[in-house]
């Protein structure tokens, strides 16, 4: 795909459309000559270089990757018009695109009915899910695992509800026995389960938790912000396939959050919240005396806590889904590549004399640490910090990783040969969410092993 060509087409399309309303001379208050623009742009473009190469597979640090060219073109073409998807008055075309794209997300998860919309982030999407949960279970708290994203604890504070952190098992998944003990107290109205924790990509047992919902009358909200699109690999054949049960169960849960700006190949910010029961829209009811005047149909602003939202984000997602739909044969192929890369790296680490795998990857995140002498937590921590810094600053062949702090109890339980001379240690963490990582992972491993050997 020739990105430059399609960007030029986007600009030309906007000019052709806008000229039908009559040409406007630039207002003096907005006029900037090319010389001034050139000087500012030179400084701007130079400052942008103070970034990591998120686009390249040598970057395996945080959950960052470039948007698909279709998303870039769709966003730019729409940004030139700048619609607001709060109301049909501000974005009639992109509101319809948003509905269609959200329907595809709902279908991907197995929802027969739904109410949903895009948000500016997974954080806001989770806030909305917990807001609805509070309205349905007033006075009741929210339970989430200690490995859940920290946003849930923060949003409980925002909403004024009690948050309960539930311990996890040795794989970093919510301990359902501990959860049931909490549910017996009657203090919890909603349980948050994470499909792909942000630390190591652990998938919590959504299928097993459904029985607790029926037993205790709680809601189940699935935070699939990171891992949601991996439902496309549920039950798939080959090494990239995932156990079907937890993913199929998501379609029976009460609400779901997923972030297309992660595995959906979208730019920031593009999150989404879905509710299985459309009647929860009643909690969003409000009145605006100057919007919602062009149609009696439901406006997206009437089912969202946010007001102004970029129509360009909906357009970018819609255009991407036209080319790479959220199906096993579409986006699923990109996720399968990252999953295979993680499995390949895990296999290389298990055969290494200098690195040790922390735990097998469930999705596309690999955790590991350097084997040191002596094998103590403090030495492991120092080695992780050194490898991270040395990899980023190598002027010839850099590699970009991240670290994850793990408590002494979990580290030594999984790796008894480690001596606990500290309360925890940083291990190395690699996110292989770019499909190009599949062809680059051997080089990544060789570089990290080289740094560990040093």
């Amino acid at each position: 795909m020739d990105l430059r060509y399609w960007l030029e087409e986007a600009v030309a399309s906007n000019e052709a459309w806008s000229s039908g309303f009559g040409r406007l001379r630039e207002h003096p208050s907005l006029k900037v000559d090319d010389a001034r623009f050139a000087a500012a742009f030179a400084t701007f473009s130079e400052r942008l270089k103070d970034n990591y190469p998120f686009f390249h597979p040598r970057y395996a640090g945080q959950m960052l990757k470039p948007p698909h060219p279709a998303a870039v073109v769709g966003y730019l073409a729409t940004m030139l018009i700048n619609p607001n998807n709060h109301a049909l008055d501000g974005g009639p075309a992109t509101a319809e695109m948003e509905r269609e794209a959200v329907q595809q997300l709902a279908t991907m998860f197995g929802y027969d009915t739904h109410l949903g919309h895009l948000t500016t982030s997974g954080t806001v999407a989770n806030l909305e899910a917990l807001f609805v949960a509070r309205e349905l279970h007033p006075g009741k708290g929210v339970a989430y695992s200690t490995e859940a994203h920290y946003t849930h604890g923060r949003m409980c504070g925002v909403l004024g509800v009690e948050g309960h952190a539930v311990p996890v098992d040795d794989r970093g998944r919510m301990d359902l026995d501990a959860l049931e003990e909490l549910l017996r107290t009657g203090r919890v109205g909603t349980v948050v389960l994470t499909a792909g924790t942000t630390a190591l990509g652990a998938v919590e047992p959504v299928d097993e938790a459904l029985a607790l919902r029926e037993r205790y009358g709680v809601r189940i909200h699935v935070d699939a912000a990171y891992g949601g699109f991996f439902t496309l690999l549920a039950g798939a054949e080959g090494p990239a396939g995932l156990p079907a049960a937890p993913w199929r169960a998501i379609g029976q849960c009460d609400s779901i959050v997923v972030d297309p700006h992660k595995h959906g190949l979208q730019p920031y910010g593009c999150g989404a919240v879905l509710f299985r029961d459309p009647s929860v829209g009643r909690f969003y009811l409000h009145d605006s005396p100057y919007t919602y005047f062009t149609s009696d149909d439901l406006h997206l602003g009437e089912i969202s806590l946010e007001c102004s939202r970029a129509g360009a984000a909906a357009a970018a997602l819609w255009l991407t889904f036209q080319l790479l739909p959220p199906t096993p044969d579409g986006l699923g192929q990109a996720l399968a590549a990252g999953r295979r890369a993680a499995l390949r790296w895990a296999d290389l680490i298990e055969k290494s004399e200098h690195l040790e795998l922390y735990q097998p990857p469930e999705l596309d995140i690999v955790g590991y640490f350097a084997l040191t002498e002596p094998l103590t937590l403090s030495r492991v921590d120092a080695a992780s910090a050194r490898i991270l810094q040395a990899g980023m600053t190598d002027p010839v062949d850099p590699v970009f990783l991240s670290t994850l702090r793990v408590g002494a109890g979990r580290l030594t339980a999984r790796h008894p040969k480690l001596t606990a001379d500290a309360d925890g240690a940083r291990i190395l963490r690699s996110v292989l969410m770019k499909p190009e990582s599949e062809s680059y992972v051997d080089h990544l491993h060789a570089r990290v092993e080289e740094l560990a050997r040093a």
Side-chain angles (χ1 to χ4, degrees):
M1 178 177 177
D2 187 340
L3 179 58
R4 181 176 297 183
Y5 170 80
W6 289 109
L7 289 175
E8 291 173 352
E9 285 291 295
V11 173
S13 174
N14 175 262
E15 289 179 347
W17 173 77
S18 60
S19 65
F21 298 94
R23 293 286 184 183
L24 289 177
R25 290 184 300 173
E26 188 178 72
H27 192 276
S29 65
L30 303 176
K31 188 173 180 59
V32 177
D33 61 60
D34 285 339
R36 285 184 61 201
F37 197 107
F41 187 79
T43 302
F44 167 77
S45 57
E46 190 62 32
R47 293 186 67 169
L48 276 184
K49 295 175 184 176
D50 185 22
N51 267 306
Y52 301 124
F54 307 126
F55 66 94
H56 198 278
R58 72 170 65 247
Y59 182 85
Q62 304 297 346
M63 297 167 170
L64 294 164
K65 66 178 179 181
H68 191 273
V72 175
V73 173
Y75 201 103
L76 173 64
T78 312
M79 185 180 63
L80 295 171
I81 303 170
N82 201 29
N84 179 354
N85 268 26
H86 174 70
L88 296 176
D89 320 339
T94 50
E96 188 61 29
M97 290 180 188
E98 179 169 342
R99 289 197 186 95
E100 292 174 18
V102 169
Q103 174 65 66
Q104 287 177 281
L105 291 174
T107 300
M108 178 181 77
F109 287 114
Y111 269 8
D112 294 325
T113 60
H114 77 281
L115 182 79
H117 59 272
L118 300 181
T119 64
T120 52
S121 68
T123 297
V124 171
N126 277 306
L127 170 64
E128 294 207 19
L130 297 186
F131 158 70
V132 168
R134 184 192 69 179
E135 299 305 293
L136 287 167
H137 290 278
K140 295 292 184 73
V142 175
Y144 43 83
S145 80
T146 55
E147 290 294 299
H149 196 280
Y150 63 82
T151 191
H152 296 291
R154 293 175 66 183
M155 292 305 104
C156 283
V158 170
L159 293 167
V161 300
E162 188 177 19
H164 304 270
V166 180
V168 296
D169 61 19
D170 60 353
R171 291 170 56 188
R173 310 176 312 159
M174 181 183 284
D175 183 330
L176 293 188
D177 289 336
L179 172 63
E180 183 163 20
E181 185 177 345
L182 173 63
L183 294 181
R184 290 193 189 104
T185 67
R187 295 164 61 191
V188 172
T190 299
V191 175
V192 177
L193 295 170
T194 305
T197 60
T198 49
L200 289 168
V203 180
E204 297 189 325
V206 181
D207 51 323
E208 299 174 33
L210 287 174
L212 296 178
R213 178 180 67 178
E214 305 312 314
R215 193 175 305 154
Y216 295 98
V218 295
R219 286 177 64 81
I220 292 186
H221 167 60
V222 178
D223 180 1
Y226 183 73
F229 283 97
F230 278 96
T231 192
L232 299 173
L233 303 183
E237 297 181 358
L242 295 169
W247 301 99
R248 298 283 185 262
I250 292 177
Q252 302 175 53
C253 295
D254 299 288
S255 55
I256 309 167
V257 159
V258 64
D259 273 357
H261 66 227
K262 293 187 173 77
H263 287 100
L265 304 176
Q266 298 305 294
Y268 291 107
C270 185
V273 61
L274 302 165
F275 298 97
R276 189 174 62 160
D277 178 8
S279 73
V280 301
R282 66 188 184 275
F283 298 119
Y284 290 97
L285 287 177
H286 64 278
D287 182 44
S288 173
Y290 60 92
T291 55
Y292 315 137
F293 60 85
T294 56
S295 170
D296 291 332
D297 293 339
L298 184 69
H299 295 246
L300 291 167
E302 295 178 278
I303 55 167
S304 169
L305 292 183
E306 295 178 273
C307 292
S308 297
R309 293 180 306 113
L317 183 60
W318 183 91
L319 184 57
T320 305
F321 279 179
Q322 300 308 297
L323 304 172
L324 291 171
T327 61
D329 293 332
L331 270 177
Q333 296 305 302
L335 276 86
R339 171 88 177 119
R340 288 192 299 266
L343 294 174
R344 167 65 178 165
W345 200 347
D347 183 58
L348 291 170
I349 291 170
E350 287 190 314
K351 296 173 181 176
S352 173
E353 297 179 359
H354 306 283
L355 299 169
E356 179 142 339
L357 190 66
Y358 174 68
Q359 69 181 36
E362 291 193 50
L363 301 179
D364 57 4
I365 303 175
V366 186
Y368 51 98
F369 56 89
L371 294 171
T372 63
E373 286 294 339
L375 202 53
T376 63
L377 295 190
S378 60
R379 290 295 293 264
V380 166
D381 183 84
S384 295
R386 178 184 59 77
I387 292 170
L388 176 73
Q389 186 64 22
M392 287 195 301
T393 56
D394 189 301
V396 178
D397 192 7
V399 57
F400 300 85
L401 310 172
S402 59
T403 60
L404 170 68
R405 182 166 181 80
V406 182
R410 287 186 62 192
L411 261 172
T412 55
R414 183 169 283 279
H415 301 274
K417 60 187 176 183
L418 286 171
T419 300
D421 64 340
D423 61 358
R426 285 169 290 180
I427 64 171
L428 294 165
R429 171 177 170 272
S430 297
V431 181
L432 303 174
M433 64 190 303
K434 292 182 280 291
E436 296 87 352
S437 297
E438 185 175 18
S439 59
Y440 205 77
V441 70
D442 283 47
H443 181 77
L444 282 172
H445 174 75
R447 284 291 294 119
V448 176
E449 193 172 48
E450 181 182 6
L451 293 167
R453 202 166 49 235

